[in-house]
């Protein structure tokens, strides 16, 4: 299947080097990593392992930070279904950025987008917005420095800015960026303007001129490719962006996880039994068909989903490397590798689910005051 990467379609085997060229983004270099480590006081395994792999204007954003011009962070969630592990990559890293750099965070819930794009009712989308907010709060963001924006609820402050953005984007630009046709509904054509507003909303509300840093999954880049020039024309700074690769779906190395196909993903609300049976049943294996063959030839961690997921959940580089070697040599069997992953994911989600419960009582603290 040919590779397709845009906010509304991710298909095929993802060639990240080609995306760097096609999107005109920059690879994160060792020098960039060292600089982030120096400023943050430590590194993050998502950076060390190339899970966050590319950027736009990161150097500028860090230059400003060093000059004392603190950036704010902006990211978001499209609430159309349950949250799975793939969604969490960006958010876990966003929390790390908030903690290390002491940055304010604007977190957009695009209920308008999902209503316009998905075959779901307005009420269903509202239900998912409430549910997804709990998962985001459970990541552990600082409520004093975090502002949830819900597009339909905060329309009064978003809309005056969105129309300024929309006036500078033509239909043909949107068609080219997202592959839209004349049959697309007119709301979906306008939507990019809504996703653009939080790039500068903080500066409008507080009459400031701070840089904006956006951590995102690389499929979201086309929205900002369209709007970076536009915000500049409106007198705001272009946002810096840091791009994540997709966590591979459970079923194999191609495409990305999807909540609409529960077998490809582990949901944040899955219980211990479900986690175990999903991984045992569905996690694509790089192992050999029989134990004898596996011992002789060894497994292939580069395509094995359990190993690939451990790159997210096993923070200890040495432990991870040992697992890699043991699997490749045939010492570690697929079942054993899966057991390691099951333990890690279960531990992580048990904690997440506790925080998710607690968030039910204090979710209001996160929502941007009107
Ligand atoms: N459109 C995104 C989604 O479907 C949600 C989103 C809104 C977002 N603003 C963002 C994602 C900024 C990353 C960065 O999930």
């Amino acid at each position: 299947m040919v590779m397709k990467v845009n906010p509304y379609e991710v298909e095929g085997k993802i060639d990240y080097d080609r995306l760097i060229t096609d999107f005109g983004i920059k690879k994160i270099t060792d020098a960039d990593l060292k600089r982030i480590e120096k400023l943050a006081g430590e590194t993050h395994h998502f950076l060390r392992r190339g899970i966050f792999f590319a950027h736009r204007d990161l150097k500028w954003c860090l230059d400003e930070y060093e000059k004392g011009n603190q950036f704010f962070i902006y990211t978001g969630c499209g609430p159309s279904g349950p949250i799975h592990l793939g969604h969490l990559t960006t958010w876990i890293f966003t929390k790390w950025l908030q903690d290390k750099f002491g940055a304010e965070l604007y977190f957009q819930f695009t209920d308008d987008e999902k209503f316009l794009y998905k075959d779901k009712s307005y009420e269903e989308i509202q239900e998912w917005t409430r549910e997804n907010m709990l998962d985001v709060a459970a990541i552990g963001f600082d409520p004093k420095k975090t502002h949830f924006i819900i597009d339909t609820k905060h329309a009064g402050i978003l809309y005056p800015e969105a129309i300024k953005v929309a006036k500078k984007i033509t239909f043909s630009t949107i068609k080219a960026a997202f592959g839209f046709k004349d049959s697309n509904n007119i709301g979906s054509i306008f939507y990019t303007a809504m996703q653009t507003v939080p790039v500068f909303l903080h500066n409008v509300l507080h009459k400031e001129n701070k840089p904006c840093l956006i951590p995102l999954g690389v499929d979201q880049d086309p929205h900002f490719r369209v709007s970076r020039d536009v915000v500049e024309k409106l007198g705001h700074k272009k946002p810096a962006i840091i791009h994540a690769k997709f966590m591979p779906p459970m079923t194999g190395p191609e495409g990305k996880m999807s909540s609409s196909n529960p077998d490809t993903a582990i949901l944040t609300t899955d219980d211990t039994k479900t986690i175990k049976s999903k991984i045992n049943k569905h996690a694509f294996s790089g192992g050999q068909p029989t134990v004898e063959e596996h011992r002789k030839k060894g497994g292939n961690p580069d395509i094995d989903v359990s190993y690939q997921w451990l790159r997210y959940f096993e923070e200890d580089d040495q432990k991870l490397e040992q697992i890699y070697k043991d699997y490749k040599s045939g010492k570690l069997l697929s079942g054993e590798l899966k057991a390691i992953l099951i333990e890690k994911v279960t531990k992580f989600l048990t904690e997440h689910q506790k925080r998710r419960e607690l968030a039910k009582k204090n979710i209001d603290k996160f929502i941007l005051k009107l």
Side-chain angles (χ1 to χ4, degrees):
M1 198 186 273
V2 288
M3 174 174 88
K4 245 193 201 166
V5 178
N6 71 56
Y8 304 106
E9 286 160 312
V10 175
E11 281 172 14
K13 182 162 168 36
I14 318 289
D15 177 344
Y16 290 101
D17 286 329
R18 214 188 95 196
L19 282 185
I20 288 178
T21 322
D22 288 0
F23 284 13
I25 55 185
K26 291 216 167 68
K27 199 172 184 125
I28 295 177
T29 63
D30 286 344
D32 297 329
L33 293 180
K34 286 215 183 75
R35 186 169 182 208
I36 299 169
E37 181 171 1
K38 198 177 127 228
L39 293 174
E42 64 170 49
T43 156
H44 192 278
H45 62 291
F46 289 178
L47 285 169
R48 288 201 300 278
R49 295 178 190 164
I51 290 169
F52 277 84
F53 72 108
H55 73 93
R56 293 181 188 270
D57 289 338
L58 185 64
K59 289 190 181 73
W60 161 76
C61 184
L62 297 177
D63 287 346
E64 289 297 306
Y65 179 78
E66 280 187 312
K67 285 188 227 157
N69 191 14
Q70 169 72 290
F71 57 86
F72 60 89
I73 309 170
Y74 160 39
T75 193
C77 162
S80 65
I83 297 304
H84 56 62
L85 294 179
H87 290 117
L88 301 185
T89 311
T90 313
W91 307 345
I92 290 169
F93 185 66
T94 298
K95 172 178 158 55
W96 183 80
L97 285 174
Q98 176 173 70
D99 289 348
K100 297 297 154 189
F101 291 89
E104 304 250 350
L105 166 66
Y106 289 82
F107 200 109
Q108 182 179 36
F109 291 86
T110 57
D111 57 343
D112 54 345
E113 175 188 25
K114 295 299 148 173
F115 173 71
L116 290 164
Y117 280 92
K118 300 272 175 176
D119 189 16
K120 294 205 167 144
S121 71
Y122 185 76
E123 287 67 32
E124 268 176 285
I125 297 292
Q126 293 314 306
E127 188 57 39
W128 285 120
T129 305
R130 281 191 289 277
E131 287 292 316
N132 291 180
M133 282 199 296
L134 299 176
D135 281 299
V136 176
I139 298 292
F141 294 117
D142 177 353
K144 289 197 200 74
K145 289 194 161 173
T146 303
H147 316 286
F148 287 3
I149 300 167
I150 304 150
D151 284 354
T152 60
K153 303 294 164 292
H154 293 90
I157 51 173
L158 296 173
Y159 194 65
E161 300 304 324
I163 55 171
K164 295 175 198 166
V165 174
K167 197 172 180 177
K168 299 216 177 295
I169 304 176
T170 64
F171 184 23
S172 59
T173 300
I174 292 297
K175 272 187 185 168
F178 304 114
F180 285 0
K181 305 200 174 56
D182 284 352
S183 57
N184 272 87
N185 74 58
I186 59 173
S188 66
I189 299 161
F190 176 77
Y191 168 72
T192 293
M194 293 297 278
Q195 184 154 326
T196 303
V197 175
V199 165
F200 55 80
L201 185 65
H202 173 95
N203 289 332
V204 169
L205 293 177
H206 299 279
K207 301 198 169 50
E208 286 181 339
N209 201 10
K210 285 184 180 171
C212 170
L213 173 62
I214 313 177
L216 47 67
V218 66
D219 58 319
Q220 292 295 317
D221 187 76
H223 282 300
F224 298 106
R225 210 155 63 223
V226 168
S227 63
R228 270 166 41 95
D229 293 334
V230 172
V231 301
E232 201 167 47
K233 284 184 204 150
L234 295 174
H236 307 293
K237 287 173 174 158
K238 288 183 181 180
I241 303 180
I242 180 161
H243 304 80
K245 294 180 181 170
F246 307 114
M247 192 170 170
M250 182 112 85
T251 37
E254 296 203 354
K256 72 168 197 168
M257 269 184 229
S258 154
S259 320
S260 32
N261 185 356
D263 285 351
T264 65
I266 289 191
L267 308 180
T268 57
T269 47
D270 283 345
D271 61 15
T272 311
K273 247 174 83 186
T274 312
I275 297 168
K276 191 170 170 183
S277 83
K278 276 191 182 175
I279 293 177
N280 280 332
K281 249 195 234 149
H282 301 296
F284 181 83
S285 169
Q288 304 295 344
T290 66
V291 173
E292 293 76 55
E293 243 184 293
H294 189 87
R295 294 275 186 231
K296 215 162 68 202
K297 297 188 189 152
N300 182 357
D302 298 320
I303 58 164
D304 188 285
V305 167
S306 301
Y307 176 78
Q308 292 304 320
W309 283 17
L310 278 172
R311 296 177 65 241
Y312 293 75
F313 289 99
E314 177 51 76
E315 292 179 31
D316 186 324
D317 290 346
Q318 270 166 355
K319 276 193 193 161
L320 187 71
E321 202 189 322
Q322 196 60 49
I323 293 170
Y324 187 91
K325 284 186 185 150
D326 289 348
Y327 193 60
K328 212 172 164 102
S329 73
K331 190 173 161 200
L332 191 69
L333 300 173
S334 292
E336 292 165 339
L337 178 61
K338 285 187 175 189
I340 300 173
L341 178 69
I342 290 166
E343 197 199 314
K344 281 276 168 195
V345 171
T346 307
K347 198 165 157 228
F348 174 84
L349 283 184
T350 310
E351 293 304 312
H352 181 88
Q353 285 162 10
K354 276 188 212 153
R355 291 190 301 265
R356 198 179 184 282
E357 268 312 298
L358 290 175
K360 289 183 179 166
K361 287 193 209 86
N362 68 5
I363 200 71
D364 288 345
K365 282 202 277 188
F366 288 94
I367 299 174
L368 180 69
K369 300 287 165 302
L370 287 170

